[in-house]
């Protein structure tokens, strides 16, 4: 079955760039997502990328996809204290009738002033 | 603005009690999900439903049941609550698979404590 792995913690200084990494195992075409969970709240979709893309940029966020290595990263430029949250990587394989996303365990991003 | 509403933000129950967690979405979504979230374990799927009166087991259905009598409402039931069911419960919904991505919309979560 599918598996999504990400490291549990990342600590950065305010103003620096953050890079959160994720690996996945499904080899079929897929959507890949980044969700953000702020303290005491549910998850909110940040951005997504389809597996035929290499990169997607949205303001301070850059998503990079290395299909060969099945590696996804989320870069946050000029990280702010308000970016402190848990970031979840998720994938939804297309085809085969399954539309259930598989989530990683989440990376806690801690931003120091 | 799209909305997934969970009826309780915090809930404290006793061991053996029957517990109902309610979730309502206003987006006319076919798919609804219940997850539990525990530190270090991420999100684990309990049950999902892709239509009214339809339900499918997720990865950890033991000790839970669900009800989907109306399209907008998906209830999670703990028949006899146990302390190991103390957790954050998250409800989500999504539209059917299609040319657009199947992103999930989440509620704010219910923190359940079973004493």
């Amino acid at each position: 079955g599918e598996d999504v792995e990400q490291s549990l913690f990342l600590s950065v200084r305010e103003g620096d760039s953050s890079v959160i990494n994720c690996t996945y195992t499904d080899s079929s075409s897929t959507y890949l997502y980044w969700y953000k969970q702020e303290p005491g709240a549910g998850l909110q979709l940040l951005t997504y990328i389809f597996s035929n893309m290499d990169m997607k940029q949205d303001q301070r966020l850059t998503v990079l996809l290395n299909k060969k290595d099945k590696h996804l990263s989320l870069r946050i430029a000029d990280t702010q204290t308000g970016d402190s949250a848990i970031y979840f990587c998720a994938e939804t394989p297309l085809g085969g009738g399954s539309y259930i996303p598989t989530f990683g365990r989440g990376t806690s991003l801690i931003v120091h002033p | 603005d799209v909305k997934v509403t969970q009826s309780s933000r915090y809930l404290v129950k006793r061991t053996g009690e029957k517990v109902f967690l309610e979730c309502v979405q206003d987006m006319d979504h076919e798919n609804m999900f219940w997850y539990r979230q525990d530190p270090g374990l991420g999100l684990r799927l309990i049950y999902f439903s892709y239509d009214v009166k339809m339900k499918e087991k997720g990865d950890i259905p033991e000790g839970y049941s669900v009800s989907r009598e109306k399209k907008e409402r998906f209830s999670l039931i703990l028949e006899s609550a146990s302390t190991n069911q103390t957790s954050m419960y998250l409800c989500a919904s999504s539209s059917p698979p299609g040319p657009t991505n199947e992103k999930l919309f989440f509620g704010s979560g219910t923190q359940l404590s079973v004493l």
Side-chain angles (χ1 to χ4, degrees), chain B residues 63-109:
Chain B
Y64 303 94
S65 63
V66 290
S67 173
R68 185 117 182 251
E69 294 298 317
K70 292 185 178 180
K71 190 176 185 181
E72 67 270 18
R73 186 180 296 270
F74 192 35
S75 304
L76 180 69
I77 304 154
L78 286 67
E79 295 291 340
S80 177
S82 63
T83 54
N84 63 12
Q85 291 178 310
T86 291
S87 186
M88 170 70 85
Y89 289 88
L90 292 167
C91 175
S93 71
S94 72
S95 52
T100 59
N101 61 88
E102 294 94 20
K103 58 188 176 186
L104 298 187
F105 295 88
F106 282 86
S108 298

Side-chain angles (χ1 to χ4, degrees), chain A residues 9-27:
Chain A
F9 298 99
L10 177 65
S11 178
V12 300
R13 200 173 293 276
E14 191 174 17
D16 288 351
S17 291
S18 309
V19 179
I20 303 171
N21 295 302
C22 169
T23 57
Y24 61 97
T25 57
D26 196 282
S27 58

Side-chain angles (χ1 to χ4, degrees), chain B residues 13-43:
Chain B
K13 296 292 181 180
R14 295 202 178 276
T15 302
E17 276 192 79
K18 190 168 185 175
V19 182
F20 292 86
L21 302 183
E22 305 286 349
C23 175
V24 177
Q25 50 97 1
D26 64 1
M27 296 163 283
D28 202 35
H29 283 166
E30 277 75 7
N31 309 322
M32 295 189 75
F33 307 81
W34 274 106
Y35 290 88
R36 63 176 283 177
Q37 182 181 13
D38 300 287
L41 297 179
L43 272 68

Side-chain angles (χ1 to χ4, degrees), chain A:
Chain A
E2 307 90 8
D3 200 14
V4 178
E5 300 280 346
Q6 50 183 133
S7 55
L8 292 182
F9 298 99
L10 177 65
S11 178
V12 300
R13 200 173 293 276
E14 191 174 17
D16 288 351
S17 291
S18 309
V19 179
I20 303 171
N21 295 302
C22 169
T23 57
Y24 61 97
T25 57
D26 196 282
S27 58
S28 62
S29 297
T30 187
Y31 279 111
L32 295 141
Y33 305 84
W34 284 105
Y35 286 85
K36 177 184 180 182
Q37 185 182 33
E38 296 182 349
L43 280 69
Q44 185 176 15
L45 181 69
L46 263 186
T47 186
Y48 64 93
I49 191 169
F50 188 53
S51 55
N52 65 355
M53 300 166 65
D54 296 322
M55 186 183 91
K56 182 177 182 181
Q57 187 151 6
D58 184 3
Q59 299 181 338
R60 292 191 297 123
L61 305 178
T62 303
V63 178
L64 293 176
L65 177 61
N66 180 328
K67 290 183 285 292
K68 176 176 168 288
D69 295 337
K70 298 191 180 68
H71 182 266
L72 182 74
S73 68
L74 174 69
R75 179 177 181 270
I76 306 173
D78 187 25
T79 312
Q80 303 297 307
T81 54
D83 294 323
S84 292
I86 303 175
Y87 291 81
F88 290 91
C89 173
E91 68 152 350
T92 304
L94 296 181
S98 171
Y99 50 85
I100 310 298
T102 299
F103 286 86
R105 295 187 177 194
T107 300
S108 289
L109 175 64
I110 301 162
V111 182
H112 299 284

